[in-house]
Amino acid sequence: MTRALVVVAHPDESSLTQHIARSIAAGLDAADVVSETADLYSEGFDPRFGPADQELYRGGRTTPGDVAAEQQRLDRVDHLVLVFPVQWWSMPALLKGWIDRVFVDGWAFDTQVTPMEGKLARMTIHLVMPAGDDAEGFARRGYDTALSTQIVTGIIGYCGAQQGVTAIIHGSETRSRDSIEDEVAGIATSIAEYAGARLSGGRPPG
């Protein structure tokens, strides 16, 4: 049985970001993929890297309870879908703090071995990012490269996870709702097909 976790970081339930997360979850369910949604804002996740996190980073053996709970939730899934608005060519602080605190040495990667080993090879990570700027503006300013370097290389690759569907929904504040809805539906279908192919033992769509 294939399982997926959709993580969304946006405080407004009526936002496009939240709508995308719901569409993806519905698509996964329709493909017989067991899905769960983690709404970091409504769940009240604390993104601050505090003293307990610093102690763990320095080699302590005690993982903060909220971090351990998130790691256990992730241990149960094959696919992780991160849905977030692009803010300053990166992700919102809430989601960045979730990654800072949860994707730690000993769980997401291991620096005690040589060479360093990513520990999330079993997981495929998908990225869906509504963005206000258009594709031309992203390319001209290098935002697409910055996102890829920070997230695809710096997080997904570093942890040894597989890169799944990566989609930037450009012009999310200026395009017609119908055109955006068509794109969202296509992305949701692509992720569902990707996870469903793994469920049936087939090859994910290229």
Side-chain angles (χ1 to χ4, degrees):
M1 180 179 294
T2 300
R3 296 179 179 272
L5 177 67
V6 180
V7 176
V8 59
H10 200 291
D12 184 356
E13 287 290 333
S14 65
S15 66
L16 174 61
T17 302
Q18 290 279 1
H19 172 67
I20 293 168
R22 290 190 293 269
S23 298
I24 291 170
L28 289 167
D29 292 341
D32 292 326
V33 176
V34 178
S35 71
E36 177 185 354
T37 298
D39 186 331
L40 299 182
Y41 186 84
S42 67
E43 292 181 2
F45 181 81
D46 186 351
R48 295 173 298 179
F49 195 90
D53 302 288
Q54 186 66 40
E55 178 62 26
L56 181 64
Y57 174 78
R58 289 172 174 165
R61 297 183 179 181
T62 302
T63 302
D66 57 345
V67 171
E70 295 300 311
Q71 292 172 347
Q72 290 165 11
R73 180 151 65 172
L74 287 165
D75 283 338
R76 297 192 294 266
V77 304
D78 311 286
H79 292 265
L80 171 62
V81 187
L82 302 179
V83 185
F84 59 92
V86 176
Q87 295 180 348
W88 288 108
W89 48 272
S90 187
M91 58 181 64
L94 176 59
L95 181 58
K96 180 59 166 58
W98 182 77
I99 291 173
D100 286 346
R101 297 191 63 211
V102 176
F103 284 54
V104 293
D105 195 354
W107 181 80
F109 55 92
D110 187 354
T111 60
Q112 301 306 307
V113 298
T114 304
M116 187 279 298
E117 177 185 13
K119 300 186 69 174
L120 299 184
R122 59 178 174 74
M123 184 184 293
T124 299
I125 300 179
H126 309 267
L127 306 171
V128 185
M129 303 164 279
D133 204 356
D134 58 27
E136 181 182 352
F138 259 62
R140 184 173 65 253
R141 299 182 179 92
Y143 291 172
D144 46 2
T145 301
L147 282 166
S148 179
T149 300
Q150 290 180 83
I151 303 172
V152 177
T153 301
I155 299 173
I156 298 175
Y158 192 82
C159 296
Q162 306 301 309
Q163 181 184 1
V165 174
T166 298
I168 301 175
I169 302 175
H170 291 288
S172 63
E173 297 177 348
T174 55
R175 288 166 50 197
S176 72
R177 186 168 186 85
D178 286 345
S179 70
I180 292 175
E181 186 60 39
D182 288 344
E183 186 171 356
V184 170
I187 293 168
T189 297
S190 295
I191 293 174
E193 288 178 347
Y194 196 116
R198 291 293 177 88
L199 177 67
S200 62
R203 295 184 62 184

